[in-house]
């Protein structure tokens, strides 16, 4: 029996409409990409509808500049009865040099829902590494 997928990856490019007045990725855009990746990872793990219950400790350690590629990596790292904790990081990549840097990290708590919109038991594989 195969285990449930615990990771999701997305790629985006930072265009001018994603930036603030300094030409760096707007924090709200970064959070939207992170939340979307957390949603995908948790949905694939639980094979159910999920919603974001909480975002925790999002650290913006380095700016991401216009024109850079951004890889958003989300991993399910812990599973409760109805919830999953998903760690998400944004990694910037300079398309010309190939230099990569982790710029932002955060943790999201996602809740699995039944068809009535009520929390349901997460039935994915219990061990996450």
């Amino acid at each position: 029996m195969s285990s449930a997928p615990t990771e999701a990856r997305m790629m985006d490019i930072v265009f001018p409409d994603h930036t603030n007045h300094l030409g760096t990725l707007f924090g709200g855009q970064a959070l939207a990409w992170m939340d979307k990746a957390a949603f995908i990872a948790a949905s694939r793990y639980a094979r159910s509808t999920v919603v974001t219950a909480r975002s925790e400790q999002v650290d913006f350690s380095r700016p991401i500049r216009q024109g850079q590629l951004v890889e958003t990596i989300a991993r399910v790292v812990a599973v409760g009865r109805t919830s999953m904790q998903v760690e998400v990081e944004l990694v910037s990549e300079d398309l010309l040099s190939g230099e990569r840097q982790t710029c932002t990290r955060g943790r999201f708590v996602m809740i699995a829902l039944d068809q009535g919109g009520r929390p349901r038991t997460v039935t994915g594989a219990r061990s996450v590494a």
Side-chain angles (χ1 to χ4, degrees):
M1 177 167 105
S2 65
S3 64
T6 60
E7 185 176 274
R9 291 174 178 255
M10 300 183 337
M11 300 293 275
D12 288 285
I13 188 94
V14 180
F15 287 115
D17 62 327
H18 299 136
T19 64
N20 60 25
H21 63 290
L22 299 173
T24 60
L25 184 64
F26 181 62
Q29 182 65 60
L31 288 171
W33 286 343
M34 294 171 79
D35 188 38
K36 183 177 180 181
F39 167 83
I40 292 168
S43 294
R44 290 180 73 210
Y45 182 87
R47 295 295 177 197
S48 95
T49 299
V50 301
V51 293
T52 305
R54 180 173 57 239
S55 62
E56 300 176 341
Q57 192 67 36
V58 177
D59 295 314
F60 297 89
S61 57
R62 292 185 175 84
I64 301 173
R65 306 204 181 288
Q66 180 181 317
Q68 289 187 313
L69 188 66
V70 177
E71 184 173 19
T72 307
I73 305 163
R75 292 179 187 93
V76 176
V77 295
V79 179
R81 190 178 64 77
T82 63
S83 67
M84 292 150 285
Q85 291 187 30
V86 183
E87 286 186 354
V88 184
E89 62 184 358
L90 294 181
V91 178
S92 69
E93 180 178 328
D94 184 286
L95 286 173
L96 299 178
S97 70
E99 180 184 355
R100 292 172 55 90
Q101 290 186 325
T102 299
C103 298
T104 306
R105 290 181 190 271
R107 184 177 286 230
F108 292 75
V109 176
M110 311 302 285
I111 304 293
L113 300 179
D114 65 17
Q115 291 181 342
R118 294 175 300 275
R120 68 175 277 281
T121 301
V122 175
T123 57
R126 288 291 174 174
S127 62
V128 288

